[in-house]
Amino acid sequence: MTEINETYKEKISFNKRLIFLYVAFGILGVAFYYQIFNLQISNYSEYEIAAENNKNEEISVQPLRGIIFDRNGEILVNNIPTFDLITKPFFIDNPDDFLLKLSSFLEIDEEDKKVFLSEFEKAKTLNKELTLKQSISDEDKAKFLVRSHMFENAYVGKRYLRNYLYPKIFSHSIGYVGKPNEDELDEIYEKRSLNKKINFTYTNQLIIGKTGLEFTYEDILTGEFGNNLREVDARGRTLNEKISSEPKVGNNLYTSLDLNSHKAAHKAFNNRKGAVVAIDIKDGSIVTLFSSPTFPTNQLANGILQKDFDELLLSEEKPFFNRALKGRYPPASSIKPAIAMYGIEEGLIDWDFSIFDEGFFTLPEDGRIYRDWKEGGHGNTNLFKAITQSSNTYFFDLAYRSDINKLNKHLSSLGFGGKACIDCFEEDKVFVPEPSWKMNKHNFGWFKGDTVNMGVGQGYLVSTPIQLAKYAYIMANKGKFSDLSLKKDLVKSEKSIEFNKFSNDDWFKLHESMVNVIEGNTGTARRLRERKNYIVAAKTGTAELVSGDNREQYSETRLDDSLRDHALIIAFGPMPNPRYAVSVVVENGESGGSVAGPVAISVLNSLIQE
Amino acid sequence: MRYLDFKKFSIYYDPYLIISITLLSILGLFFLYSASDGNASVLIKQSIFVFFGIILMIVLSQPDPQIYYSYSGFFLLISIILVFIAIFFGPEINGANRWISFGFVTLQPSELCKIFLPIFIASYLYGVKLPINLKNTLLTIFLIFIVFLIVSSQPDLGTAIVILLSGLYVLFLAGLSWTFIGSALAIFVISLPFLWNNFLEPFQRQRIATLFNPDLDPFGSAWNITQSKIAIGSGGIFGKGFGEGTQSHLNFLPETETDFIFAVIAEEFGLVGLTILIGLYFFIFVRCFYLSINARDRFCRLVIGGLSLVFISTLFINIGMVIGLLPVVGMPLPLISQGGSSLISFYIAFGIIISMASHKKLVPR
């Protein structure tokens, strides 16, 4: 009996507990059902939109980039169509089989295959297109098209390549385009308020300006992005693609650059290191901006082998370095007209003042000797002779008597130590050496001798070719100037240098003395006379990299190419009404007159005798 | 009468369970076909499992429950040995050793533990007087934890949790004292922070954290839940239709054939489809409830009750996870998700349930 009682008690307990658990699950079940009801009925529209947004894809369509012209309307950069083989990984079950099938009639690089396989899974998951092979040949295109019925998961797509018509001539001035990196891409998304979910029709298409004018005028050249809305069904097939906004083609860029002068510069430099900058005196626009050696822009924009790129990057010639905007060179004797202007303005000299040049200047403080380039000196020397024959002694003496702070102010007003160009890419403004700069940098006070060295453009004073060109332009235009620029017809205000004593007559005499540098029988660049049929004013310079105390030492340094002096010239013409100003630096070229001079004349010839 | 008498031998069966389970299995194949993007090989493999699984269920219905009572310890031992074989000799997949490979098929032996652990406990507690004393309680709990720890070391937290529950259900139904339940719960709550810090992997903590705040990690572990909710919600009342679920087919939804198949069904068949599906499950629960209340003895009562609750728990954990109310843990939708091990284990469970429901004790006239 107790056993039956026990069984009965157990059964009742079991039933109660089972009911308890079932009721607990029942309550949970109601809660779950309520949640499902909430999702599917109460918030249906919200989730429906979310699902639609998931599957529909916004595709940004990049507009065609603007064309770049030279100042005469010659096309320098345009776009040419190319064809890529594009795949749709969503419809590819096995990428290896797919590649095998394609390889049976198309040659595909191992590198391309590797990239394809590594990106495949991601593209498949996101249902994005993936470029397998860029710029396929017409033959490959035809081979694929006849078999296209076998490939629902691939197609041939058209794309535009940036085409540099003169890839080795405008490398530094125009620059090149390229694929944006992650940071640049984020910036584009933000600036153009593009949806991050977008897919640029296919990968690799988006290009942006990386350097030069392509970078500076990126906004003008790019245009407006278009938008396509792609609707897909549950199998990933495109149902339709609606254009929600058309892309707007980028604006063309008209530059002040002159094609012929660049060709002349390229030829004259013949891959030697250096730079030439030429300026149209009418409005301060840059007609020539050339740095040598150059690099091939088409390859950089449209694909370069890593090996070739590394070779360029590591080359001792430093082809990527824009010497015209960033090369730091002592102006050497080409600074002398500027020192002369200062001397006249400050009343330290006039055109009649003369010294006896015995071949050196002695610093009164410590008896240190500063040598002229000509042994024995130039004898009795006035300013005209000092400029024409480039007497160092005369300018050592003048600089010695100058106030360094006032002199610096004067050099700054001529553009030294300041940015010369308003739309150049990464210009180095360098500096004018102040006594305080020397104290900070070298922890040494300013010596009188430092000022003396500046009188011949040596010592701490450095400048870039574009600054030298601006300086030549200001002198050619008698103190009036505008900021330099590369875009044609840019509205700029005209500025001028204020003088008290330096008069129009002084300008005339200064020009005359500089004309005599070439035209006079004793001028330092007289050998240039035969190379042209108009009159040019100039000042040569030879920037010493190593100063030797005596002739033997000097001869030794000449044996090492990289220690040889830089050859410089600034020039403007045709005189008496100059139209162009030019500066040339030839690294390790030694003699301003005979090495830099011919380059300057070639460029001027191409501009003046067109 | 629960058996057909063919003079020589009898077949034991329960028509309600067999019909509803077969119906659910066939429906499952239909859903799986869509969830696997119409993959025929997945469907054929699963169909073979369903076919032999149902036969296995009927075969297991035939022995008298006495057999299961006598051999319960043996079955549990075999299951645990198989788990150890999987840990030490099985193939490593995604860093886990849960499987034993038989060449043409790989099976997960831990699924068997959730059947044979509750049966063994039921047999152990069969003769124990009410209320169960402390010694028996602790011995049982000790056993449950041993099996739990073995399985979670594979690692397989989902199955381990179900095994833990399966044992506790039987212990509870057998008459675990309320005093013990109360104090155990109190200790559990107090030690919760300790457990959180020491027993959960960082990714598991992350999953729980994102459950309460999905914005915490919209592209990480919450991504799956967000996409799952979008799939369910966008299904609406009638769904998008068979094979038309964009969330399911465009790879927004993860694990569509296995853990998230419920979301696929919700997207393609809507609330109507879900209600029919849930209705079928509900029918099975009600039938199991009836059978356990009317079972012939305490052992059968405990086994039917315990196994049916394992089935219910699996279902609730899966759905709870897919609709975003429970943290993400690997758990199949019973009888529907792709995967032979889960399927076979439930056929075994129902085979045993039917055996216990259809064999009546012969009362001497």
Side-chain angles (χ1 to χ4, degrees), chain B residues 111-128:
Chain B
E111 293 280 352
L112 292 175
C113 295
K114 74 184 182 194
I115 311 295
F116 293 114
L117 178 68
I119 295 177
F120 177 75
I121 292 170
S123 69
Y124 175 70
L125 297 174
Y126 181 44
V128 170

Side-chain angles (χ1 to χ4, degrees), chain A residues 6 10-11 14-15 17-18 21-22 25 29 32-33 35 39-41 44 47 54-55 90 234-236, chain B residues 130 169 172 176 227 232-233 236-237 244 246-247 249 252 266 271 275 285 292-293 298 301 309 316 323:
Chain A
E6 181 70 24
E10 184 274 327
K11 196 174 154 114
F14 174 87
N15 289 354
R17 285 169 184 242
L18 191 66
L21 286 178
Y22 264 69
F25 274 111
F32 280 17
Y33 201 79
Q35 165 82 347
L39 292 172
Q40 296 200 302
I41 310 297
Y44 168 69
Y47 286 111
N54 261 352
K55 78 183 178 85
F90 192 81
R235 275 158 293 276
Chain B
L130 285 179
Y169 285 145
F172 175 74
L176 180 62
Q227 294 305 329
I232 297 168
I237 301 177
E244 297 297 326
T246 54
Q247 285 289 104
H249 298 292
F252 292 105
L271 189 64
T275 307
F285 302 156
S292 48
I293 295 282
R298 192 183 183 189
R301 257 198 293 280
L309 283 165
F316 272 71
I323 64 178

Side-chain angles (χ1 to χ4, degrees), chain A residues 184-430:
Chain A
E184 288 167 333
L185 204 56
D186 284 344
E187 207 176 293
I188 294 164
Y189 282 133
E190 184 143 341
K191 194 159 85 185
R192 306 198 175 272
S193 48
L194 300 174
N195 184 347
K196 276 218 179 186
K197 243 186 70 193
I198 56 153
N199 179 9
F200 291 98
T201 50
Y202 46 90
T203 50
N204 301 337
Q205 197 209 10
L206 184 63
I207 50 166
I208 60 164
K210 291 281 192 180
T211 64
L213 286 169
E214 292 272 30
F215 176 86
T216 311
Y217 289 107
E218 168 74 11
D219 288 351
I220 289 181
L221 290 165
T222 298
E224 300 280 335
F225 279 78
N227 258 325
N228 287 7
L229 198 68
R230 178 166 158 241
E231 277 186 46
V232 293
D233 68 4
R235 275 158 293 276
R237 287 173 221 282
T238 305
L239 290 177
N240 65 61
E241 198 168 320
K242 274 185 290 198
I243 299 170
S244 51
S245 67
E246 294 267 9
K248 234 176 92 190
V249 176
N251 287 315
N252 294 339
L253 179 66
Y254 296 88
T255 70
S256 59
L257 294 170
D258 180 86
L259 173 58
N260 287 332
S261 73
H262 279 84
K263 281 182 180 168
H266 184 236
K267 198 173 153 208
F269 260 104
N270 193 21
N271 288 328
R272 284 177 296 171
K273 288 178 283 179
V276 49
V277 178
I279 293 159
D280 186 341
I281 287 168
K282 187 171 82 250
D283 59 357
S285 60
I286 299 168
V287 287
T288 315
L289 184 72
F290 183 81
S291 172
S292 182
T294 58
F295 54 89
T297 37
N298 275 328
Q299 274 160 276
L300 276 158
N302 302 318
I304 183 167
L305 292 175
Q306 191 64 41
K307 176 177 72 75
D308 294 348
F309 182 74
D310 289 344
E311 203 173 294
L312 284 171
L313 201 65
L314 299 174
S315 164
E316 294 229 338
E317 309 271 291
K318 293 196 172 76
F320 287 122
F321 184 57
N322 190 345
R323 294 176 162 83
L325 301 179
K326 288 191 259 195
R328 292 180 171 198
Y329 306 98
S333 299
S334 69
I335 201 74
K336 285 171 183 169
I339 307 293
M341 285 161 74
Y342 169 80
I344 292 168
E345 172 68 8
E346 292 297 317
L348 299 173
I349 51 166
D350 57 27
W351 291 95
D352 298 326
F353 173 84
S354 68
I355 63 158
F356 186 78
D357 174 4
E358 49 185 340
F360 57 88
F361 170 79
T362 313
L363 193 67
E365 278 80 356
D366 58 4
R368 198 191 149 117
I369 302 288
Y370 292 81
R371 286 185 192 284
D372 194 277
W373 60 273
K374 189 175 174 186
E375 213 166 351
H378 302 275
N380 244 337
T381 306
N382 64 7
L383 181 55
F384 192 90
K385 188 177 169 186
I387 290 176
T388 309
Q389 300 188 11
S390 202
S391 158
N392 284 358
T393 315
Y394 185 95
F395 286 98
F396 285 142
D397 174 71
L398 172 55
Y400 176 73
R401 292 187 284 133
S402 304
D403 177 302
I404 180 65
N405 292 320
K406 281 188 183 170
L407 182 62
N408 277 344
K409 223 177 126 197
H410 171 68
L411 291 175
S412 301
S413 74
L414 291 170
F416 291 95
K419 233 180 126 187
C421 172
I422 51 176
D423 56 0
C424 289
F425 177 70
E426 292 183 347
E427 185 189 340
D428 183 356
K429 68 183 182 112
V430 285

Side-chain angles (χ1 to χ4, degrees), chain A residues 69-74 76 166 169-170 173 255-265 278 280 285-290 486 580 602-608 610:
Chain A
F69 292 93
D70 97 328
R71 65 170 182 162
N72 299 313
E74 295 278 347
L76 302 179
Y166 307 96
I169 292 184
F170 293 96
S173 50
T255 70
S256 59
L257 294 170
D258 180 86
L259 173 58
N260 287 332
S261 73
H262 279 84
K263 281 182 180 168
D280 186 341
S285 60
I286 299 168
V287 287
T288 315
L289 184 72
F290 183 81
L486 287 166
Y580 298 99
S602 295
V603 170
L604 282 175
N605 280 346
S606 71
L607 290 165
I608 291 164
E610 55 195 78

